[in-house]
Amino acid sequence: VGQAGPPGAQGIAGSAASPINKIAAEALGGHRVVVLNASEQAVYADRTNVTHADKILGITTGAASAAAAVTVQTYGEMVEPSFAWTPELPVYVSTNGLMTQTPPTSGFKRGVGFALAATKLFIDLREPVMRV
């Protein structure tokens, strides 16, 4: 076995926010949880639709018209002045792409992140918990 050579040059830093672009299958609001439909287009996630439990893609960074590009953030900090989170508590997917800090008692429960501050969410998608 030969000796290791010298380390290479430092690479370009990646983005911790990891945004991706998709096409909206319907008009979408900003800062809403989405999944991909069978055509790989973004639609609102809904905790009452158990087929969405394992398909959550992330949270839209802004609104988009149907058939337009939408940016979806899958990880990292998201700041939005209209958020009113209780810091340090988890945030869950609700219905119609909305988010809540109240743990759901029906459908599935899936954390999408936690509040760092009233207007700051740290997106960190968790494994779903199925409800009966």
Side-chain angles (χ1 to χ4, degrees), residues 22-29 42 62-70:
K22 290 294 179 181
I23 299 298
E26 58 190 354
L28 298 173
S65 300
V70 63

Side-chain angles (χ1 to χ4, degrees), residues 75-97:
Y75 184 80
E77 289 185 13
M78 176 178 274
V79 177
E80 167 54 37
S82 67
F83 286 161
W85 303 123
T86 300
E88 300 182 18
L89 291 182
V91 176
Y92 305 96
V93 63
S94 186
T95 57
N96 203 30

Side-chain angles (χ1 to χ4, degrees), residues 1-34:
V1 176
Q3 292 182 331
Q10 176 70 35
I12 298 171
S15 169
S18 63
I20 58 175
N21 292 311
K22 290 294 179 181
I23 299 298
E26 58 190 354
L28 298 173
H31 308 99
R32 303 281 282 273
V33 182
V34 294

Side-chain angles (χ1 to χ4, degrees), residues 2-126:
Q3 292 182 331
Q10 176 70 35
I12 298 171
S15 169
S18 63
I20 58 175
N21 292 311
K22 290 294 179 181
I23 299 298
E26 58 190 354
L28 298 173
H31 308 99
R32 303 281 282 273
V33 182
V34 294
V35 299
L36 296 180
N37 65 15
S39 300
E40 295 189 24
Q41 295 179 328
V43 297
Y44 287 137
D46 191 319
R47 69 166 174 75
T48 64
N49 184 340
V50 294
T51 66
H52 288 185
D54 290 318
K55 295 175 20 179
I56 292 177
L57 181 63
I59 301 170
T60 59
T61 61
S65 300
V70 63
T71 301
V72 179
Q73 188 170 331
T74 61
Y75 184 80
E77 289 185 13
M78 176 178 274
V79 177
E80 167 54 37
S82 67
F83 286 161
W85 303 123
T86 300
E88 300 182 18
L89 291 182
V91 176
Y92 305 96
V93 63
S94 186
T95 57
N96 203 30
L98 297 172
M99 295 178 278
T100 182
Q101 288 189 296
T102 302
T105 57
S106 63
F108 64 87
K109 178 175 114 176
R110 182 152 185 196
V112 294
F114 58 94
L116 295 171
T119 59
K120 188 184 296 186
L121 171 68
F122 190 90
I123 301 167
D124 186 17
L125 302 177
R126 301 296 180 167

